[in-house]
Amino acid sequence: VSYSEMAQKQSFNDPSVNATALYYRLRLTDLEGRPGYSNVLVVKMKSSTTNGFKVYPNIVQSNTTVNMISSVRQEASLTIVDISGRTINQKQINLQPGSNNMQVNDLEKLSAGQYYMVLDVPGNRYSQPFIKR
């Protein structure tokens, strides 16, 4: 049996990502059980994922968390939009300087499908898709 036949797809979600580049090193174990380490792996984030706006988890049942990093105190509008562009829910929020976490509840009322969480702040609009199961 070759190594490629034994290889399995591996994945890891890092919910604390707030950087433009991430550095990882993998601990590997060979077939005889001896540990080793990979070279340092650099993962560069696309600019759309580093704008300070995140929705997690993005596959939801009844609630999700929205995180926005703001440099100033400001008012914002948080809107849930369906795939057709119709506004489902909207509320005004106050952002403080730094990291802002907002819990979005009552999503069990939504039909299953894809939606967008849209955050409007003065001069910018951020959008992240999420899926309601």
Side-chain angles (χ1 to χ4, degrees), residues 22 58 81 96 100 105 109 118:
L22 302 169
N58 64 355
V81 178
Q96 303 300 318
N100 296 267
N105 298 312
K109 297 175 185 175
V118 179

Side-chain angles (χ1 to χ4, degrees), residues 13-19 22 54:
N13 290 330
D14 190 348
S16 62
V17 173
N18 281 324
L22 302 169
K54 291 184 231 159

Side-chain angles (χ1 to χ4, degrees), residues 100-116:
N100 296 267
N101 284 319
M102 296 147 283
Q103 189 75 26
V104 179
N105 298 312
D106 299 329
L107 298 177
E108 68 272 358
K109 297 175 185 175
L110 298 176
S111 299
Q114 183 173 346
Y115 296 86
Y116 292 90

Side-chain angles (χ1 to χ4, degrees), residues 51-118:
N51 61 18
F53 178 64
K54 291 184 231 159
V55 177
Y56 59 91
N58 64 355
I59 299 177
V60 303
Q61 292 286 341
S62 61
N63 60 55
T64 191
T65 301
V66 174
N67 178 268
M68 176 65 185
I69 299 173
S70 179
S71 59
V72 296
R73 182 183 316 261
Q74 59 187 329
E75 290 186 12
S77 174
L78 186 63
T79 308
I80 297 174
V81 178
D82 70 10
I83 196 77
S84 300
R86 291 180 297 217
T87 297
I88 303 300
N89 191 356
Q90 185 175 30
K91 67 179 183 175
Q92 296 302 115
I93 56 174
N94 292 310
L95 298 174
Q96 303 300 318
S99 182
N100 296 267
N101 284 319
M102 296 147 283
Q103 189 75 26
V104 179
N105 298 312
D106 299 329
L107 298 177
E108 68 272 358
K109 297 175 185 175
L110 298 176
S111 299
Q114 183 173 346
Y115 296 86
Y116 292 90
M117 193 72 65
V118 179

Side-chain angles (χ1 to χ4, degrees), residues 26-43:
L26 302 178
R27 182 175 189 265
L28 308 168
T29 305
D30 68 14
L31 294 174
E32 283 79 38
R34 293 182 303 245
Y37 293 90
S38 72
N39 293 330
V40 174
L41 304 172
V42 180
V43 178

